[in-house]
Amino acid sequence: MAFYRLEPWGSHYDDLRAGVVASMIGNVHRDHKKRAKPFGDLEFISWNDHARGSRDAGPILLGDADSQSDLIARMMFPPRT
């Protein structure tokens, strides 16, 4: 657990690392006249489009405490397919 805090691993972190490389390549080749703002690493991650739409949404609060706990567990640890 302590090592994970120092050096996180997993698919999300791999995607973020790939996004950093892709944004660097995109910034090297971007037309500064057409796009003055540099690309960010999250702009090159496909799952970020889903997260981008939900950032402005408020928290999901359920009436039942058990249902709320189940929702939190499913969001943090999605079932493997």
Side-chain angles (χ1 to χ4, degrees), residues 62-72:
L62 303 176
D64 180 31
D66 290 332
S67 299
Q68 187 75 38
S69 296
D70 291 340
L71 176 64
I72 293 170

Side-chain angles (χ1 to χ4, degrees), residues 17-42:
R17 289 181 186 113
V20 168
V21 173
S23 67
M24 180 194 64
I25 293 170
N27 285 323
V28 167
H29 296 288
R30 91 181 133 90
D31 185 357
H32 295 278
K33 293 178 184 173
K34 289 184 181 178
R35 182 181 170 105
K37 180 183 170 192
F39 291 110
D41 52 352
L42 293 177

